[in-house]
């Protein structure tokens, strides 16, 4: 089957949205996730319209999209919880927010070939595949640059901050080093 007209999108969506919602709800037990995933499925159906993409089994395709979207969303939520800290208390959140204010300027200290893909991936949330296309790079090269940028960013953080963490890696004390002149100047402007 090929989706060739936008009215097909709405027909498919109207026939399947309740079943997909129920599927996600039964698998993961989260109504917000179920709603978000069904919207993701609609976007995927809409995106596939007129793309000349052949769909062998429509139901299987829809449920696969729903399953993958559910896992992607849950992974993102888990990463957010991990960044905030296990207990997610306000003090830990404030420490991460304080550090995050100066991450983007630190990324700007990196060579452009590393800073650009890192910003696209970690600040803008663009997939590595899309970054590769936008920058005219291979996927492997893009992944390597992003990984290298993360290592370089970590070095910049160590260079510019006294950072103490607890056993879970949650910052308990952050101080800007006097030797990091560009960030001191930036902090004075704010």
């Amino acid at each position: 089957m090929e989706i060739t007209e936008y009215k097909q999108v709405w027909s498919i969506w109207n026939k399947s949205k309740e079943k997909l919602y129920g599927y996600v709800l039964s698998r993961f037990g989260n109504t917000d996730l179920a709603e978000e995933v069904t919207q993701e499925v609609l976007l995927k159906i809409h995106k596939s319209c007129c793309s000349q993409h052949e769909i062998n089994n429509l139901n299987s395709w829809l449920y696969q999209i729903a399953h993958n979207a559910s896992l992607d969303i849950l992974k993102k939520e888990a990463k957010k919880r991990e960044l905030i800290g296990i207990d997610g208390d306000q003090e830990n959140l404030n420490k991460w927010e304080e550090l995050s204010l100066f991450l983007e300027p630190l990324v700007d200290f990196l060579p452009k070939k590393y800073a650009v893909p890192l910003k696209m991936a970690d600040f803008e949330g663009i997939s590595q595949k899309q970054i590769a296309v936008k920058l005219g790079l291979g996927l492997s090269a893009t992944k390597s640059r992003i990984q290298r940028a993360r290592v370089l960013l970590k070095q910049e953080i160590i260079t510019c901050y006294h950072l103490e963490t607890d056993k879970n890696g949650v910052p308990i004390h952050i101080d800007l080093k006097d030797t990091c002149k560009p960030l001191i100047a930036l902090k004075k402007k704010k």
Side-chain angles (χ1 to χ4, degrees), residues 58-76:
L58 181 63
N59 278 337
S60 175
W61 182 70
L62 292 172
Y63 283 96
Q64 189 64 48
I65 292 170
H67 180 76
N68 291 343
S70 299
L71 294 178
D72 289 345
I73 291 167
L74 290 171
K75 284 178 190 174
K76 286 180 186 175

Side-chain angles (χ1 to χ4, degrees), residues 80-187:
K80 286 179 189 174
R81 281 193 302 274
E82 190 177 298
L83 275 177
I84 292 171
I86 292 173
D87 55 2
D89 66 22
Q90 190 61 41
E91 185 179 327
N92 286 340
L93 184 57
N94 290 341
K95 297 275 187 203
W96 281 114
E97 286 175 350
E98 180 184 337
L99 184 59
S100 71
L101 289 174
F102 296 99
L103 275 181
E104 196 160 358
L106 284 176
V107 172
D108 291 336
F109 292 164
L110 303 179
K112 189 174 182 177
K113 78 179 200 175
Y114 298 117
V116 171
L118 180 66
K119 280 184 179 181
M120 293 171 82
D122 292 350
F123 290 94
E124 298 171 25
I126 299 173
S127 74
Q128 292 182 354
K129 191 182 280 187
Q130 291 173 321
I131 294 168
V133 170
K134 286 183 178 186
L135 297 178
L137 298 169
L139 183 57
S140 179
T142 302
K143 288 180 178 184
S144 293
R145 285 187 184 188
I146 291 169
Q147 285 305 107
R148 178 72 175 132
R150 288 177 179 150
V151 169
L152 293 171
L153 180 60
K154 182 179 178 181
Q155 291 170 349
E156 289 293 336
I157 291 170
I158 292 169
T159 300
C160 286
Y161 286 99
H162 293 287
L163 181 63
E164 292 178 45
T165 61
D166 65 12
K167 64 182 179 188
N168 297 316
V170 176
I172 53 177
H173 187 73
I174 302 170
D175 275 327
L176 187 58
K177 292 180 181 176
D178 295 335
T179 56
C180 193
K181 304 289 185 215
L183 284 185
I184 290 172
L186 182 68
K187 193 171 184 177

Side-chain angles (χ1 to χ4, degrees), residues 10-29:
W10 294 111
S11 174
I12 293 167
W13 170 247
N14 285 324
K15 289 177 187 173
S16 60
K17 68 180 175 184
E18 295 300 320
K19 292 177 188 172
L20 292 170
Y21 179 88
Y23 166 75
V24 174
L25 189 59
S26 69
R27 290 282 314 244
F28 300 99

